[in-house]
Structure formats: structure tokens, C-alpha cells
Amino acid sequence: MHCLISGGTGLIGRLFCQYWLARGDTITVLSRRPEQVRDLCGETAVSCRNLTEVQAPVDVVVNLAGESISRRWNSKRRAQIRRSRLEITENLVEWSLSREQRPSYFLSGSAVGYYGDRGGDLLRESSSPGGGFAAQLCRDWEAATLPLRQAGVCVGIMRTAIVLSTRGGALTQMLPAFRLGLGGPLSSGEHWMSWIHEEDIVGLMLHVIDQRLCQPFNACAPEAVTNNSFARLLAKQLHRPSLVRTPAWMLKLMFGEMAEELLLASQKMEPRTALDSGYTFRFPTLEQALEDLLSRGRKPEVREQMR
């Protein structure tokens, strides 16, 4: 199969490209920096700067592009975050519909922010959306794929939890403080965190593509944890204490609105669609995931089990 991917040089995209190519399939990476694609995504990955360069038939589109949401928000930053997600999605949808041979599957990103701050509610794919900037962004992002669905194209919507990796992302940002023994919970630590190991999110992406799952799905591990539990387990893996609690007022002072919607929001997701469709998680518990990631300390391999 031939896949066209946006966001292929990002944290998730790079690993997806490696696994996709390891299966013997082909991939074209839409990137503003095409000269970096082969180094980041694989020697046989093809790069393009514009959709007009893609001539070969495309079987699958994977849409992961978007500016980082994990920096302090202001009006300009919020506009950039929205534009980076909605414009590329709209362009990919329009391009897909214009093709003489349309892609048979379109996998588009979304995020846990779709659900907003929900306390201890168990969030399945059927749960209602929440409120706030992140939730509205995710609703609009998902809605941008509606023309494809109306045209009969199979669309999967991936509501991504915190992706755990030592190559970037949230865990990498936490590790320096925890390694110094200065890590700990945020605020009361009672809010729920949904997460997923980097290999499981790629494994799940391959699974939904192969199964042609035409619906939203929660990309998270089966075991959500409280922030208190996350801090305790991370400190345990590093053989450090977990005593330094960061108060909510400090987080809000440092990060503003982002602190409330990303760092302190409580989201207890369940991957019901993934489980019901037969996906088997390699790292279903946080302890297993952290042990694997922190014991490797190197670039992840394309493991035989996921080919």
C-alpha cells in the first residue's frame, strides 16, 4: 500500500514511517523540510513539499500535522494552533476528493482534549465533547473530515492521549526534574491522566488502517492513572523520591490557560473501540510502559511483533 502522511517528521510520524516501511509498503511524506525526510523517516521514504507533487495513486492518507499545543497560549498562538490543524486537514480532504482514484482510508488526528476536563468520568468514544479551547479545536478538527465521510471515504479519527517516549514529548520534559529527585505531582495530583506508549500508538494506527475502522477511537492505554500515581511510578522507575508537588497557582502563573486545559484537566479515557476491534496492547500498564522506555535509553527498534 502507498501512504501519504502529513506530520511524518514529528514524534509519532517518524516511528509510524519506520513501521510502515518495515512492512514492505511505500510512503510519501508531505513536509515543509523535505530534505530531512529520509534521515528522519527512512531511506526509502519519498518526500514532497506540495500535494501537487503527488502523482502516484495513494491508498491511505495519515494526517498528523499540527503546531505544538504545549506552549503558553495567547490569541496569536491559539490562531496558529488552529490554522496548523484545520488548513492542512481541509487541504488533504479537498485533494483526496479531487483524485480520480480516491484514497480508501483517511486517518486523521484529534486528541484527548476533545473531552475537556471531566473529573472521574469514564470517557468512551461515545462520550460527549467538553468545553474550552482544546475541546473546540478538536471538534472543528474532526468536523473538517466530514466531506470525506459524506463522499463515502472511510475515515478514522484518532483521539490521542499523552504519548510516552524518550525521543520527545511530555515524558522527556519531565525526566530532568525527576532524575534530580525534584519531580512530583501537579497540584493535588488527583486528576486522571490518559497515556499511551509510542509503540502502541503506532501499532494501533496500523491496526485501524488494516481493519478499516471508520469511526473515532481513543488512542490510549487501557489503564488510566491519576497524576499522583504517574509521579510515583515514574520516580520509582528512576529510584528517586516523588516529594516536590507543584501548586496549581504556580502552573497557572507559568502557563496560563494551557495549565488548566492540558496540565490539570482530568481525562479518564478508555480505548473501547480498540479493544472491541481486537487490538492487543503491548504495554497495557504504566509500569510496563515506563520500564520499557527507561530501560532502553536508545532509539526504538522496529520490533518483529508489530510487522
Side-chain angles (χ1 to χ4, degrees):
M1 287 192 292
H2 180 204
C3 174
L4 170 68
I5 183 172
S6 68
T9 59
L11 178 66
I12 302 170
R14 294 196 303 270
L15 195 57
F16 175 84
C17 288
Q18 292 172 33
Y19 280 111
W20 185 264
L21 292 171
R23 303 197 324 170
D25 293 319
T26 58
I27 199 159
T28 298
V29 181
L30 180 64
S31 175
R32 291 173 295 180
R33 293 179 288 275
E35 68 279 358
Q36 299 180 357
V37 164
R38 292 184 67 183
D39 287 339
L40 295 174
C41 303
E43 284 295 316
T44 58
V46 175
S47 62
C48 68
R49 192 184 296 272
N50 299 297
L51 287 169
T52 54
E53 299 174 39
V54 183
Q55 300 300 321
V58 170
D59 303 295
V60 175
V61 175
V62 174
N63 176 30
L64 301 178
E67 292 284 335
S68 173
I69 201 170
S70 61
R71 297 203 300 269
R72 187 183 179 94
W73 301 343
N74 54 33
S75 57
K76 181 179 179 181
R77 183 66 184 154
R78 283 192 289 267
Q80 289 174 335
I81 290 169
R82 284 185 58 84
R83 187 167 57 249
S84 69
R85 285 158 174 76
L86 299 185
E87 285 188 4
I88 185 61
T89 302
E90 290 165 356
N91 289 341
L92 283 168
V93 167
E94 182 179 353
W95 176 86
S96 297
L97 291 174
S98 72
R99 303 280 285 180
E100 183 176 347
Q101 180 180 330
R102 292 174 177 172
S104 61
Y105 192 78
F106 192 104
L107 175 57
S108 194
S110 184
V112 61
Y114 174 89
Y115 299 108
D117 185 357
R118 302 293 282 272
D121 294 349
L122 185 62
L123 302 172
R124 298 187 175 97
E125 289 83 356
S126 59
S127 299
S128 62
F133 169 71
Q136 185 62 56
L137 171 65
C138 290
R139 290 201 299 274
D140 294 343
W141 196 5
E142 295 185 14
T145 65
L146 181 59
L148 281 176
R149 288 175 273 162
Q150 292 174 332
V153 177
C154 183
V155 176
I157 302 289
M158 182 168 65
R159 295 174 182 161
T160 306
I162 298 168
V163 178
L164 299 185
S165 171
T166 53
R167 301 177 299 116
L171 179 61
T172 303
Q173 295 171 356
M174 298 177 200
L175 283 174
F178 274 86
R179 282 178 169 144
L180 290 172
L182 301 176
L186 304 180
S187 187
S188 69
E190 295 176 359
H191 54 285
W192 287 91
M193 297 175 61
S194 296
W195 59 273
I196 188 168
H197 189 291
E198 62 180 354
E199 291 190 13
D200 268 322
I201 192 168
V202 172
L204 184 53
M205 291 167 69
L206 296 173
H207 172 79
V208 300
I209 290 170
D210 290 341
Q211 296 292 319
R212 292 294 193 268
L213 293 184
C214 312
Q215 62 193 98
F217 63 96
N218 289 340
C220 62
E223 180 195 67
V225 295
T226 64
N227 181 253
N228 281 324
S229 295
F230 189 99
R232 177 179 55 80
L233 286 168
L234 178 54
K236 177 184 175 183
Q237 286 294 327
L238 296 170
H239 307 290
R240 296 290 189 274
S242 174
L243 302 175
V244 182
R245 189 178 295 272
T246 306
W249 66 264
M250 184 179 295
L251 292 169
K252 293 174 185 177
L253 182 66
M254 294 170 62
F255 300 108
E257 178 188 4
M258 191 200 84
E260 294 188 45
E261 291 206 28
L262 294 190
L263 302 179
L264 299 175
S266 185
Q267 293 151 334
K268 186 181 181 182
M269 286 204 299
E270 179 186 57
R272 179 44 46 197
T273 294
L275 295 171
D276 287 349
S277 65
Y279 182 72
T280 301
F281 285 85
R282 287 181 50 78
F283 303 98
T285 70
L286 181 61
E287 188 166 14
Q288 289 172 319
L290 291 176
E291 183 178 7
D292 176 76
L293 289 166
L294 298 177
S295 66
R296 278 193 269 161
R298 54 183 170 81
K299 186 176 180 179
E301 299 172 352
V302 178
R303 303 195 189 193
E304 185 68 30
Q305 296 93 320
M306 290 179 62
R307 293 189 182 181

